[in-house]
Amino acid sequence: MTSPHDAGAPSARTRVNRYRHLAHYDRPTIDAILDAMPVAHIAYLHEGQPIVTPTLQWREGDRVYWHGARHGRMMQATEGADVCLTVSILDGLVLARSAFNFNVNHRSVMLFGKAEAVTDPQEKVRLLTRLINSFAPDQWDKLRPATDAELNVTAILSLRIDEASAKVRSGPPEDNEDDYAHPVWAGVLPINLTLGAPEPDPRNLPGVAAPDLSGYKIG
């Protein structure tokens, strides 16, 4: 029998089977999680061995992009190959009255598909500019210009957001009814990622100002 929580799953491999009530297949939920966390993990096969590599990702429209060394293992193994990309955000520790009901509040996305290379040099520059400026607005134009050699050894891959699913948990613990009478504290310990004060490079030139990061948010 098909669960109502299966509705909208784009494929069998994206269908959430465990904790189906946490599943989301709508693009607004998926896009919001991708946009909130730049760190992703790419799973792939290299010479028959499973590997998971962390990297930075950014979304533009219907695609997720990531970059790396053109001759590096990840980029060589994933171009044109099936990959799985995940993004996770930890929002809180959920302490229950039973060890088997401990949990975490979280948001996560899992994408499947074939990684496609960005080959047009101007498009690579545009995408790298967007990545840098997503951390600090207009920062790309202030930097030492990228050289042709640097651009040549940098690869950018992308994945269409066609096969994707999200899981989102929030709220208090879900204990067995009989356990609510057990005298132990239960609840949520929220977790938030925040920016600290800028720490200048000791070799900064005199008079250079830190970029305005007041609008940057993660998580």
Side-chain angles (χ1 to χ4, degrees):
M1 176 179 289
T2 301
S3 164
H5 295 287
D6 291 338
S11 66
R13 61 183 178 177
T14 56
R15 185 176 299 118
V16 174
N17 293 312
R18 182 70 172 159
Y19 298 112
R20 292 183 178 181
H21 62 288
L22 303 180
H24 294 263
Y25 303 105
D26 61 290
R27 279 293 303 275
T29 299
I30 290 168
D31 290 354
I33 297 171
L34 292 172
D35 294 346
M37 172 53 66
V39 178
H41 288 81
I42 313 293
Y44 55 96
L45 286 175
H46 175 68
E47 297 179 350
Q49 298 296 316
I51 296 178
V52 177
T53 300
T55 187
L56 293 179
Q57 65 83 21
W58 66 102
R59 183 186 68 86
E60 187 171 289
D62 294 330
R63 285 189 176 272
V64 173
Y65 295 87
W66 65 96
H67 77 293
R70 185 162 64 91
H71 297 297
R73 178 173 63 182
M74 177 179 66
M75 307 309 271
Q76 291 285 306
T78 55
E79 182 178 343
D82 281 314
V83 300
C84 177
L85 181 149
T86 64
V87 168
S88 301
I89 306 170
L90 181 61
D91 291 321
L93 303 179
V94 182
L95 280 61
R97 295 164 181 84
S98 163
F100 297 95
N101 286 326
F102 269 52
N103 213 323
V104 293
N105 285 341
H106 70 281
R107 291 163 284 159
S108 63
V109 165
M110 180 176 288
L111 280 74
F112 293 94
K114 288 189 181 295
E116 302 177 29
V118 176
T119 57
D120 180 76
Q122 292 184 338
E123 180 67 358
K124 285 174 62 175
V125 171
R126 187 189 71 80
L127 289 167
L128 290 172
T129 301
R130 188 183 185 284
L131 170 64
I132 298 301
N133 288 346
S134 69
F135 291 103
D138 303 319
Q139 190 73 357
W140 180 272
D141 290 337
K142 301 174 185 177
L143 303 177
R144 187 265 293 160
T147 66
D148 290 341
E150 288 172 326
L151 293 171
N152 286 337
V153 299
T154 301
I156 297 178
L157 297 180
S158 74
L159 195 64
R160 279 192 59 85
I161 310 175
D162 289 330
E163 286 189 81
S165 62
K167 289 177 75 173
V168 179
R169 192 203 187 279
S170 61
E174 298 173 355
D175 272 309
N176 300 340
E177 191 60 39
D178 292 344
D179 291 338
Y180 283 96
H182 190 74
V184 67
W185 190 92
V188 177
L189 302 178
I191 296 174
N192 297 289
L193 289 174
T194 60
L195 287 180
E199 300 177 358
D201 185 336
R203 296 186 62 176
N204 277 346
L205 295 178
V208 294
D212 180 11
L213 301 178
S214 59
Y216 184 75
K217 182 181 179 182
I218 188 170

